[in-house]
Amino acid sequence: MALVVPVPSRLLWARLAALVFACVAFSVAHGSGANGGMYDWCMFCWVFSFAGTLLVLLVELLGLQSLSPVSWTNFPITFACYAALFCLCASFIFPFHFIKDTNVYDKSRNHRIASTVFSCLATFAYVVEVSLTRARPGEVAGYMATVPGLLKVFETFVASVIFVFISNPISYTYHDALKWCMAVYCICFIISAAIVMLCVGECTGFLPFPFSRFLSAYALLAVVMYLTATIIWPVFQFDSHYSTVKRDYHCLSRGLCLWEKLVTIAVLTAVNFLLYLADLAYSARLVFVST
């Protein structure tokens, strides 16, 4: 097996920086004295990012791209985009739960601050990697390197965050309209995730219909569905005619209270609506150009 000596480039340095920063983030956090579900989630974000980046570097160092079971034109940028979002998420969650309003002032607090800083640095490194590998105008590239492909990553990630908030506590069961919102989140997440997997697995050619037209039709459907959820969710959660949820100003629990979680879901629903709207615009343009 021939060893490929990589030529130093901005992309290589960005990946090495992301690898080091993610490694330092979870290594330092291990000695911070933090624990619990949010700590486990942050550790997963950093370890996942580190392991995936290490895999990408090893595959390219050993020249195994042609033997990879996935599309190497789509996988690295897809992973880098998810890693950027994971590290960004950890950069907010870790200080919110383990630095803000805590009584820890010894070395453990310094470890927590250092983990947050390196998590932010890892996020920046992954953003740089995505910006270096995304498709430029007129350039032939994999679908995941295009704007619609990257939007699919954002859409699935935002939906995943919605699932976290909407299930703890379960806040969609007491009205059929809210169940419809949950159906919107699930249906769009499943289809978007399937599109990502089809592209990374290079299986789009096996579809019995043109992939580009399917993308446009799905984007239009998702826009309509998310538009309804964007309107329905705040109405049935905050209107006194349908809901009795009130903001608790005396909530002492660490983290977000119920009212704040419902607001967060409403905001993320609107964000995903805008993402799907942008996706529709780019997908329609893609069909027009290809036609």
Side-chain angles (χ1 to χ4, degrees):
M1 182 182 297
L3 185 66
V4 179
V5 179
V7 179
S9 63
R10 289 184 297 171
L11 177 59
L12 176 62
W13 288 119
R15 285 174 175 165
L16 288 174
L19 183 77
V20 172
F21 292 149
C23 180
V24 174
F26 72 75
S27 298
V28 175
H30 184 68
S32 66
N35 55 66
M38 290 297 100
Y39 167 77
D40 294 338
W41 166 250
C42 292
M43 288 293 286
F44 166 77
C45 292
W46 297 323
V47 173
F48 168 82
S49 302
F50 169 81
T53 304
L54 181 61
L55 175 65
V56 170
L57 288 172
L58 288 176
V59 168
E60 297 198 346
L61 180 65
L62 298 175
L64 301 176
Q65 296 93 323
S66 60
L67 301 178
S68 172
V70 297
S71 168
W72 207 250
T73 59
N74 287 309
F75 175 76
I77 189 170
T78 303
F79 169 78
C81 195
Y82 273 118
L85 293 171
F86 277 130
C87 288
L88 178 63
C89 184
S91 299
F92 282 101
I93 291 177
F94 196 76
F96 183 81
H97 282 269
F98 302 110
I99 298 178
K100 178 179 176 289
D101 298 331
T102 59
N103 297 321
V104 179
Y105 296 101
D106 56 5
K107 187 170 64 174
S108 296
R109 183 178 179 86
N110 295 333
H111 283 198
R112 298 177 186 188
I113 295 174
S115 291
T116 303
V117 171
F118 279 99
S119 181
C120 294
L121 291 174
T123 302
F124 178 74
Y126 282 117
V127 170
V128 171
E129 180 181 348
V130 171
S131 67
L132 291 174
T133 53
R134 69 180 180 86
R136 300 297 190 273
E139 180 183 357
V140 178
Y143 174 77
M144 296 307 300
T146 65
V147 173
L150 295 175
L151 285 173
K152 292 293 186 301
V153 174
F154 282 95
E155 291 157 5
T156 54
F157 182 81
V158 171
S160 299
V161 178
I162 290 176
F163 293 145
V164 172
F165 285 113
I166 205 171
S167 60
N168 184 28
I170 297 176
S171 52
Y172 60 89
T173 56
Y174 61 87
H175 200 285
D176 289 339
L178 297 176
K179 294 179 182 178
W180 162 251
C181 293
M182 185 61 178
V184 170
Y185 304 144
C186 292
I187 293 172
C188 293
F189 171 80
I190 292 172
I191 298 178
S192 293
I195 291 173
V196 172
M197 288 187 289
L198 285 172
C199 292
V200 172
E202 217 164 25
C203 299
T204 57
F206 297 103
L207 297 176
F209 42 76
F211 184 58
S212 60
R213 295 190 180 277
F214 166 72
L215 292 174
S216 291
Y218 165 61
L220 177 59
L221 175 64
V223 166
V224 174
M225 293 176 69
Y226 258 95
L227 177 60
T228 62
T230 302
I231 297 172
I232 291 173
W233 183 266
V235 170
F236 283 86
Q237 289 290 9
F238 305 118
D239 193 319
S240 58
H241 293 290
Y242 305 103
S243 175
T244 58
V245 176
K246 301 293 182 182
R247 185 172 188 179
D248 184 4
Y249 292 95
H250 303 287
C251 179
L252 300 178
S253 61
R254 294 177 64 186
L256 297 177
C257 301
L258 175 59
W259 191 87
E260 283 78 8
K261 288 183 179 181
L262 297 179
V263 172
T264 302
I265 294 171
V267 172
L268 291 176
T269 302
V271 168
N272 240 6
F273 166 70
L274 295 176
L275 290 174
Y276 277 109
L277 191 62
D279 195 350
L280 174 62
Y282 276 100
S283 297
R285 180 183 174 187
L286 179 65
V287 171
F288 178 77
V289 171
S290 62
T291 303

